[in-house]
Amino acid sequence: MATFSNLGFLMLIFLGILSSSHGQLQLNFYSKSCPKAEKLIQDYVQKHIPNAPSLAAALLRMHFHDCFVRGCDASVLLNSTKSTGNQTERVAIPNQTLRGFSFIDGVKKIVEAECPGVVSCADIVALVARDSIVVTGGPFWNVPTGRRDGRISNASEALADIPAPTSNFTRLQSSFAKKGLDLKDLVLLSGAHTIGISHCPSFSTRLYNFTGTFGTQDPSLDSEYAANLKAKKCKSLNDNTTIVEMDPGSFRTFDLSYFKLLLKRRGLFQSDAALLASSTTKSFIDQLVKGSLKVFYAEFAKAMEKMGKVEVKTGSNGEIRKQCAVVN
């Protein structure tokens, strides 16, 4: 039987393990180990994103998809390996339209040249997402750093954990709750759909095959908007190349237009329409639309800071990858 002192010792070890795996992120984590890191990242973003502004939405989406699978640990960046036959998150259906991998590699190269083996790919993804949105005129949020990179990446987990555009309200609520995010976070993070584009397969069943019978349309979608999408964008159920703005007329501007369109039943995805299915989430949307852009920015910033801390690896957990696409 363990003595009290042994128990105390074991408890200390246990707490030590806990603190190393659930350590706190902190602002300016690299202030001593790589003081120029955040400025180098910001400069790279400021130089390149104005030439390719649509990448801002793509990089924000990458951060979101990363955090929802095994936490914000850059597991989404890992290439599949022929030697093990492991299919990584990167090739999973939700991630097949992700863009920005070479952008992250470009940032990593510059940071590695300054401080080899110090700054994680996970932190780079988080910082680049924020800096890209700021450069395109969107909100700023704090990005505490100190994340470590994960060594495991499975396509099946991405398929299971990333909320699909076809999700109903129950599925969305449970996906977010699993990550410690509440209904307010769900509404605010969905607000990122105010910028960026999508492809027809993400929503075309709403137009052509809603109940599984060809010719059926989602009744929760505004009929005029649906007719326009069918006539001018996704002209058939088989179209998988046409690009569609998620916030028509305002898809380059981080504003409240997305929420205003939602209330007119003009959200592009089933997951957008689902936000009106709950009185709680609808009430949040109503409040945002009646409020100012400044309030939305402040609330969005809080939700992003919360998401950026989901299941992070810190301390001795994980590693600092030398190249973002492969484990060391």
Side-chain angles (χ1 to χ4, degrees):
M1 184 177 165
T3 63
F4 178 76
S5 60
N6 281 347
L7 281 173
F9 179 66
L10 288 169
M11 184 57 79
L12 282 173
I13 290 175
F14 176 68
L15 288 173
I17 291 167
L18 268 186
S19 64
S20 71
S21 59
H22 298 275
Q24 291 300 300
L25 300 179
Q26 59 190 71
L27 289 171
N28 305 312
F29 177 81
Y30 299 107
S31 60
K32 290 192 173 70
S33 58
C34 191
K36 292 183 185 170
E38 293 196 26
K39 181 76 168 68
L40 285 170
I41 294 168
Q42 187 184 47
D43 288 348
Y44 189 93
V45 168
Q46 286 176 342
K47 182 180 176 183
H48 294 286
I49 291 293
N51 303 324
S54 67
L55 255 185
L59 290 161
L60 181 61
R61 182 173 178 238
M62 179 188 281
H63 181 32
F64 180 88
H65 282 212
D66 182 37
C67 290
F68 262 71
V69 188
R70 293 185 170 266
C72 316
D73 68 346
S75 53
V76 73
L77 304 178
L78 289 171
N79 283 333
S80 296
T81 48
K82 281 182 184 169
S83 56
T84 62
N86 179 48
Q87 296 286 293
T88 59
E89 292 167 38
R90 193 161 167 166
V91 301
I93 289 168
N95 293 330
Q96 284 172 4
T97 51
L98 278 188
R99 295 188 303 130
F101 293 102
S102 59
F103 190 93
I104 297 295
D105 288 340
V107 176
K108 177 67 170 170
K109 195 174 174 183
I110 282 174
V111 175
E112 279 296 300
E114 175 71 19
C115 313
V118 173
V119 181
S120 69
C121 299
D123 278 340
I124 288 172
V125 169
L127 288 162
V128 161
R130 189 270 313 274
D131 292 347
S132 300
I133 296 301
V134 170
V135 165
T136 50
F140 172 91
W141 61 92
N142 287 319
V143 179
T145 41
R147 295 167 191 78
R148 310 248 309 163
D149 299 324
R151 296 187 182 98
I152 298 168
S153 183
N154 293 314
S156 58
E157 291 179 351
L159 196 56
D161 290 348
I162 294 169
T166 51
S167 299
N168 62 20
F169 177 75
T170 309
R171 173 75 209 273
L172 287 173
Q173 184 176 20
S174 110
S175 291
F176 274 67
K178 263 170 67 180
K179 302 298 165 189
L181 300 167
D182 59 26
L183 292 180
K184 191 173 186 182
D185 300 318
L186 166 60
V187 168
L188 290 161
L189 294 170
S190 297
H193 290 173
T194 182
I195 53 166
I197 49 96
S198 179
H199 295 82
C200 298
S202 295
F203 58 88
S204 51
T205 51
R206 297 186 80 194
L207 303 174
Y208 294 106
N209 194 27
F210 188 63
T211 61
T213 307
F214 188 76
T216 53
Q217 192 169 293
D218 183 352
S220 73
L221 186 63
D222 174 70
S223 54
E224 198 179 312
Y225 181 42
N228 184 282
L229 285 169
K230 285 159 97 167
K232 297 184 177 172
K233 297 288 184 182
C234 306
K235 296 177 183 177
S236 82
L237 191 55
N238 304 320
D239 183 338
N240 56 12
T241 54
T242 302
I243 286 168
V244 182
E245 298 165 11
M246 291 192 285
D247 183 0
S250 174
F251 79 108
R252 286 200 172 98
T253 314
F254 214 101
D255 56 20
L256 288 161
S257 165
Y258 162 78
F259 293 115
K260 291 172 182 172
L261 288 172
L262 271 192
L263 294 175
K264 294 176 181 172
R265 298 190 303 124
R266 294 189 170 199
L268 192 59
F269 307 128
Q270 269 170 268
S271 60
D272 293 324
L275 300 178
L276 300 178
S278 142
S279 58
T280 308
T281 47
K282 181 167 184 305
S283 158
F284 286 142
I285 293 164
D286 287 332
Q287 286 168 34
L288 286 166
V289 166
K290 287 174 188 156
S292 67
L293 192 59
K294 189 179 174 184
V295 167
F296 170 43
Y297 276 18
E299 293 294 321
F300 182 79
K302 283 184 213 162
M304 283 303 302
E305 286 172 39
K306 195 169 165 186
M307 188 197 80
K309 294 173 184 173
V310 167
E311 295 168 13
V312 290
K313 294 166 179 65
T314 57
S316 57
N317 212 338
E319 64 181 16
I320 305 295
R321 276 185 232 144
K322 293 182 180 72
Q323 293 177 51
C324 291
V326 291
V327 294
N328 293 343

